[in-house]
Amino acid sequence: MATSEPQEVATRASWECWPPGSMEAIPYRTSFSPTEYAAIRRGLVPEEMEDKWFIFCEDDVLYLHRSWTGLCVYRVVFRSRGDGYQVQEAYVSGEPRHYRRGPDDHEVRLLSFLIRALLLHEVIEFPFPAGIGRWGGRGIYRYLIAGNVLTADWLSEQQGVLVRACRSVRRWFSDRV
């Protein structure tokens, strides 16, 4: 049986990044098991252009930076709580020149998605903001924000494409018989 190489633990020195600038509190509150927290602490070092985030943890503070610019977008402070770890505080960039901040509820959903999808490898729905239409531009927006991450909504879209293709093939064959 082949063994996989252990993932590199991300540190501030793993990627070029800037210290957080002005940050604004957001109401992101959740908790993680010790196993989940261990995965979160490993962080994420970009390996290719499609990896949009550099994420690392120092002293129970998680920093989420855009990989291309090195700018810090989110900062999350954890606290040990008996059977796991709880988010004590969460912040989003308040620098309008570097990040166009959305409403608190969207920032909370996006931060949750980034932690769960990128660090915990959960296949979940991408949190589209209200202004993104049902079909037009959704895939591009998801890619620009999250990169090539597997999401539940992408899988659903692909299933729809397969169903439509099967129906087309079935119609084509029925017209030939």
Side-chain angles (χ1 to χ4, degrees):
M1 183 165 116
T3 59
S4 63
E5 292 182 34
Q7 176 189 345
E8 174 187 354
V9 175
T11 67
R12 183 179 300 274
S14 299
W15 197 258
E16 188 173 331
C17 64
W18 297 93
S22 170
M23 304 291 277
E24 299 173 0
I26 56 174
Y28 176 63
R29 300 293 181 266
T30 191
S31 57
F32 297 96
S33 71
T35 303
E36 290 172 324
Y37 187 66
I40 289 169
R41 286 194 56 82
R42 292 191 75 71
L44 177 68
V45 177
E47 294 179 5
E48 56 191 14
M49 214 166 129
E50 287 77 14
D51 296 332
K52 307 295 186 188
W53 293 92
F54 166 54
I55 305 170
F56 67 95
C57 197
E58 284 181 343
D59 302 324
D60 293 329
V61 179
L62 186 70
Y63 297 90
L64 293 88
H65 293 256
R66 291 299 286 183
S67 64
W68 285 23
T69 63
L71 296 172
C72 184
V73 176
Y74 296 103
R75 184 168 51 112
V76 182
V77 180
F78 291 93
R79 176 187 297 172
S80 176
R81 290 290 234 203
D83 62 343
Y85 293 82
Q86 185 175 30
V87 172
Q88 180 178 345
E89 302 168 9
Y91 301 91
V92 64
S93 174
E95 299 280 344
R97 293 176 304 146
H98 300 141
Y99 181 71
R100 190 179 320 171
R101 184 192 191 299
D104 282 358
D105 66 321
H106 176 71
E107 295 299 341
V108 165
R109 290 183 299 120
L110 183 55
L111 176 56
S112 179
F113 171 83
L114 293 171
I115 292 171
R116 295 198 172 280
L118 299 179
L119 300 178
L120 301 178
H121 307 290
E122 295 178 11
V123 179
I124 58 176
E125 294 280 328
F126 182 82
F128 291 102
I132 301 296
R134 178 74 178 121
W135 300 109
R138 290 171 69 89
I140 293 169
Y141 181 83
R142 179 178 48 229
Y143 172 77
L144 290 173
I145 299 300
N148 283 338
V149 64
L150 187 61
T151 64
D153 48 295
W154 182 85
L155 287 174
S156 177
E157 291 166 11
Q158 300 315 302
Q159 181 181 4
V161 169
L162 268 172
V163 166
R164 288 189 298 277
C166 288
R167 286 179 184 154
S168 294
V169 168
R170 193 174 318 142
R171 277 193 304 272
W172 185 84
F173 276 119
S174 67
D175 291 346
R176 305 286 180 275
V177 179

